[in-house]
PDB file of all heavy atoms in Angstrom:
ATOM      1  N   PHE A1038     -37.527 -14.987 -17.184  1.00  0.00           N
ATOM      2  CA  PHE A1038     -37.581 -15.498 -15.868  1.00  0.00           C
ATOM      3  C   PHE A1038     -36.646 -14.581 -14.820  1.00  0.00           C
ATOM      4  O   PHE A1038     -36.931 -14.478 -13.733  1.00  0.00           O
ATOM      5  CB  PHE A1038     -37.036 -17.008 -15.880  1.00  0.00           C
ATOM      6  CG  PHE A1038     -38.250 -17.999 -16.206  1.00  0.00           C
ATOM      7  CD1 PHE A1038     -38.080 -18.660 -17.417  1.00  0.00           C
ATOM      8  CD2 PHE A1038     -39.273 -18.086 -15.320  1.00  0.00           C
ATOM      9  CE1 PHE A1038     -39.082 -19.493 -17.702  1.00  0.00           C
ATOM     10  CE2 PHE A1038     -40.190 -19.013 -15.636  1.00  0.00           C
ATOM     11  CZ  PHE A1038     -40.142 -19.687 -16.823  1.00  0.00           C
ATOM     12  N   LEU A1039     -35.510 -14.112 -15.367  1.00  0.00           N
ATOM     13  CA  LEU A1039     -34.754 -13.254 -14.577  1.00  0.00           C
ATOM     14  C   LEU A1039     -35.591 -12.021 -14.130  1.00  0.00           C
ATOM     15  O   LEU A1039     -35.505 -11.686 -13.021  1.00  0.00           O
ATOM     16  CB  LEU A1039     -33.537 -12.789 -15.363  1.00  0.00           C
ATOM     17  CG  LEU A1039     -32.287 -13.721 -15.285  1.00  0.00           C
ATOM     18  CD1 LEU A1039     -31.151 -13.065 -16.222  1.00  0.00           C
ATOM     19  CD2 LEU A1039     -31.711 -13.795 -13.917  1.00  0.00           C
ATOM     20  N   ASN A1040     -36.303 -11.465 -15.090  1.00  0.00           N
ATOM     21  CA  ASN A1040     -37.043 -10.278 -14.745  1.00  0.00           C
ATOM     22  C   ASN A1040     -38.168 -10.579 -13.713  1.00  0.00           C
ATOM     23  O   ASN A1040     -38.394  -9.891 -12.891  1.00  0.00           O
ATOM     24  CB  ASN A1040     -37.640  -9.689 -16.071  1.00  0.00           C
ATOM     25  CG  ASN A1040     -38.084  -8.332 -15.870  1.00  0.00           C
ATOM     26  OD1 ASN A1040     -37.578  -7.458 -15.270  1.00  0.00           O
ATOM     27  ND2 ASN A1040     -39.412  -8.062 -16.366  1.00  0.00           N
ATOM     28  N   VAL A1041     -38.852 -11.738 -13.980  1.00  0.00           N
ATOM     29  CA  VAL A1041     -39.933 -12.015 -13.073  1.00  0.00           C
ATOM     30  C   VAL A1041     -39.319 -12.346 -11.723  1.00  0.00           C
ATOM     31  O   VAL A1041     -39.875 -11.948 -10.659  1.00  0.00           O
ATOM     32  CB  VAL A1041     -40.604 -13.390 -13.627  1.00  0.00           C
ATOM     33  CG1 VAL A1041     -41.454 -13.978 -12.536  1.00  0.00           C
ATOM     34  CG2 VAL A1041     -41.440 -13.013 -14.849  1.00  0.00           C
ATOM     35  N   ASN A1042     -38.154 -13.048 -11.743  1.00  0.00           N
ATOM     36  CA  ASN A1042     -37.503 -13.369 -10.390  1.00  0.00           C
ATOM     37  C   ASN A1042     -37.139 -12.141  -9.700  1.00  0.00           C
ATOM     38  O   ASN A1042     -37.354 -11.904  -8.383  1.00  0.00           O
ATOM     39  CB  ASN A1042     -36.296 -14.165 -10.627  1.00  0.00           C
ATOM     40  CG  ASN A1042     -35.783 -14.831  -9.349  1.00  0.00           C
ATOM     41  OD1 ASN A1042     -36.599 -15.205  -8.477  1.00  0.00           O
ATOM     42  ND2 ASN A1042     -34.537 -14.850  -9.157  1.00  0.00           N
ATOM     43  N   ALA A1043     -36.680 -11.035 -10.387  1.00  0.00           N
ATOM     44  CA  ALA A1043     -36.229  -9.785  -9.756  1.00  0.00           C
ATOM     45  C   ALA A1043     -37.445  -9.057  -9.270  1.00  0.00           C
ATOM     46  O   ALA A1043     -37.403  -8.471  -8.244  1.00  0.00           O
ATOM     47  CB  ALA A1043     -35.531  -8.924 -10.783  1.00  0.00           C
ATOM     48  N   GLN A1044     -38.521  -9.089 -10.080  1.00  0.00           N
ATOM     49  CA  GLN A1044     -39.780  -8.458  -9.617  1.00  0.00           C
ATOM     50  C   GLN A1044     -40.420  -9.110  -8.479  1.00  0.00           C
ATOM     51  O   GLN A1044     -41.033  -8.442  -7.601  1.00  0.00           O
ATOM     52  CB  GLN A1044     -40.754  -8.299 -10.774  1.00  0.00           C
ATOM     53  CG  GLN A1044     -40.281  -7.385 -11.924  1.00  0.00           C
ATOM     54  CD  GLN A1044     -41.211  -7.393 -13.134  1.00  0.00           C
ATOM     55  OE1 GLN A1044     -42.148  -8.207 -13.173  1.00  0.00           O
ATOM     56  NE2 GLN A1044     -41.026  -6.446 -14.018  1.00  0.00           N
ATOM     57  N   SER A1045     -40.310 -10.361  -8.383  1.00  0.00           N
ATOM     58  CA  SER A1045     -40.924 -11.115  -7.224  1.00  0.00           C
ATOM     59  C   SER A1045     -40.109 -11.079  -5.972  1.00  0.00           C
ATOM     60  O   SER A1045     -40.608 -11.481  -4.875  1.00  0.00           O
ATOM     61  CB  SER A1045     -41.129 -12.483  -7.660  1.00  0.00           C
ATOM     62  OG  SER A1045     -39.923 -13.286  -7.872  1.00  0.00           O
ATOM     63  N   PHE A1046     -38.955 -10.640  -6.076  1.00  0.00           N
ATOM     64  CA  PHE A1046     -38.100 -10.576  -4.886  1.00  0.00           C
ATOM     65  C   PHE A1046     -38.415  -9.407  -4.048  1.00  0.00           C
ATOM     66  O   PHE A1046     -38.337  -8.277  -4.422  1.00  0.00           O
ATOM     67  CB  PHE A1046     -36.541 -10.378  -5.385  1.00  0.00           C
ATOM     68  CG  PHE A1046     -35.523 -10.249  -4.234  1.00  0.00           C
ATOM     69  CD1 PHE A1046     -35.328 -11.354  -3.444  1.00  0.00           C
ATOM     70  CD2 PHE A1046     -34.853  -9.055  -3.993  1.00  0.00           C
ATOM     71  CE1 PHE A1046     -34.351 -11.208  -2.385  1.00  0.00           C
ATOM     72  CE2 PHE A1046     -33.957  -8.972  -2.974  1.00  0.00           C
ATOM     73  CZ  PHE A1046     -33.667 -10.031  -2.131  1.00  0.00           C
ATOM     74  N   ASN A1047     -38.868  -9.716  -2.902  1.00  0.00           N
ATOM     75  CA  ASN A1047     -39.426  -8.630  -1.971  1.00  0.00           C
ATOM     76  C   ASN A1047     -39.187  -8.992  -0.476  1.00  0.00           C
ATOM     77  O   ASN A1047     -40.163  -9.109   0.172  1.00  0.00           O
ATOM     78  CB  ASN A1047     -40.806  -8.299  -2.343  1.00  0.00           C
ATOM     79  CG  ASN A1047     -41.336  -7.112  -1.596  1.00  0.00           C
ATOM     80  OD1 ASN A1047     -40.680  -6.155  -1.407  1.00  0.00           O
ATOM     81  ND2 ASN A1047     -42.670  -6.927  -1.337  1.00  0.00           N
ATOM     82  N   PRO A1048     -37.987  -9.045  -0.026  1.00  0.00           N
ATOM     83  CA  PRO A1048     -37.728  -9.427   1.309  1.00  0.00           C
ATOM     84  C   PRO A1048     -38.117  -8.236   2.245  1.00  0.00           C
ATOM     85  O   PRO A1048     -38.198  -7.026   1.921  1.00  0.00           O
ATOM     86  CB  PRO A1048     -36.206  -9.600   1.408  1.00  0.00           C
ATOM     87  CG  PRO A1048     -35.710  -8.682   0.309  1.00  0.00           C
ATOM     88  CD  PRO A1048     -36.744  -8.701  -0.772  1.00  0.00           C
ATOM     89  N   LYS A1049     -38.415  -8.644   3.438  1.00  0.00           N
ATOM     90  CA  LYS A1049     -38.636  -7.641   4.558  1.00  0.00           C
ATOM     91  C   LYS A1049     -37.403  -6.904   4.934  1.00  0.00           C
ATOM     92  O   LYS A1049     -36.313  -7.483   4.984  1.00  0.00           O
ATOM     93  CB  LYS A1049     -39.256  -8.226   5.832  1.00  0.00           C
ATOM     94  CG  LYS A1049     -40.598  -9.054   5.664  1.00  0.00           C
ATOM     95  CD  LYS A1049     -40.942  -9.737   6.900  1.00  0.00           C
ATOM     96  CE  LYS A1049     -42.384 -10.443   6.703  1.00  0.00           C
ATOM     97  NZ  LYS A1049     -42.815 -11.185   7.893  1.00  0.00           N
ATOM     98  N   THR A1050     -37.499  -5.578   4.989  1.00  0.00           N
ATOM     99  CA  THR A1050     -36.409  -4.738   5.423  1.00  0.00           C
ATOM    100  C   THR A1050     -36.651  -3.974   6.613  1.00  0.00           C
ATOM    101  O   THR A1050     -37.846  -3.546   6.918  1.00  0.00           O
ATOM    102  CB  THR A1050     -35.993  -3.913   4.204  1.00  0.00           C
ATOM    103  OG1 THR A1050     -37.133  -2.951   3.820  1.00  0.00           O
ATOM    104  CG2 THR A1050     -35.638  -4.578   3.025  1.00  0.00           C
ATOM    105  N   VAL A1051     -35.612  -3.483   7.318  1.00  0.00           N
ATOM    106  CA  VAL A1051     -35.717  -2.596   8.451  1.00  0.00           C
ATOM    107  C   VAL A1051     -35.078  -1.259   8.042  1.00  0.00           C
ATOM    108  O   VAL A1051     -33.983  -1.215   7.511  1.00  0.00           O
ATOM    109  CB  VAL A1051     -35.033  -3.086   9.666  1.00  0.00           C
ATOM    110  CG1 VAL A1051     -35.130  -2.072  10.789  1.00  0.00           C
ATOM    111  CG2 VAL A1051     -35.629  -4.466  10.054  1.00  0.00           C
ATOM    112  N   THR A1052     -35.818  -0.180   8.091  1.00  0.00           N
ATOM    113  CA  THR A1052     -35.319   1.115   7.760  1.00  0.00           C
ATOM    114  C   THR A1052     -34.792   1.870   8.884  1.00  0.00           C
ATOM    115  O   THR A1052     -35.288   1.827  10.049  1.00  0.00           O
ATOM    116  CB  THR A1052     -36.363   1.976   7.143  1.00  0.00           C
ATOM    117  OG1 THR A1052     -36.894   1.296   6.012  1.00  0.00           O
ATOM    118  CG2 THR A1052     -35.869   3.356   6.691  1.00  0.00           C
ATOM    119  N   PHE A1053     -33.554   2.456   8.779  1.00  0.00           N
ATOM    120  CA  PHE A1053     -33.068   3.253   9.922  1.00  0.00           C
ATOM    121  C   PHE A1053     -32.502   4.481   9.374  1.00  0.00           C
ATOM    122  O   PHE A1053     -32.119   4.633   8.137  1.00  0.00           O
ATOM    123  CB  PHE A1053     -32.156   2.550  10.798  1.00  0.00           C
ATOM    124  CG  PHE A1053     -31.067   1.649  10.255  1.00  0.00           C
ATOM    125  CD1 PHE A1053     -29.732   2.084  10.306  1.00  0.00           C
ATOM    126  CD2 PHE A1053     -31.383   0.544   9.483  1.00  0.00           C
ATOM    127  CE1 PHE A1053     -28.768   1.333   9.688  1.00  0.00           C
ATOM    128  CE2 PHE A1053     -30.316  -0.290   9.018  1.00  0.00           C
ATOM    129  CZ  PHE A1053     -29.023   0.087   9.090  1.00  0.00           C
ATOM    130  N   PRO A1054     -32.285   5.566  10.136  1.00  0.00           N
ATOM    131  CA  PRO A1054     -31.989   6.889   9.516  1.00  0.00           C
ATOM    132  C   PRO A1054     -30.540   7.090   9.001  1.00  0.00           C
ATOM    133  O   PRO A1054     -29.727   6.232   9.136  1.00  0.00           O
ATOM    134  CB  PRO A1054     -32.302   7.855  10.811  1.00  0.00           C
ATOM    135  CG  PRO A1054     -32.003   6.959  11.980  1.00  0.00           C
ATOM    136  CD  PRO A1054     -32.459   5.565  11.574  1.00  0.00           C
TER     137      PRO A1054
END
Side-chain angles (χ1 to χ4, degrees):
F1038 278 113
L1039 272 176
N1040 191 47
V1041 169
N1042 195 38
Q1044 290 177 351
S1045 64
F1046 179 68
N1047 191 27
K1049 295 178 183 178
T1050 60
V1051 176
T1052 302
F1053 49 107

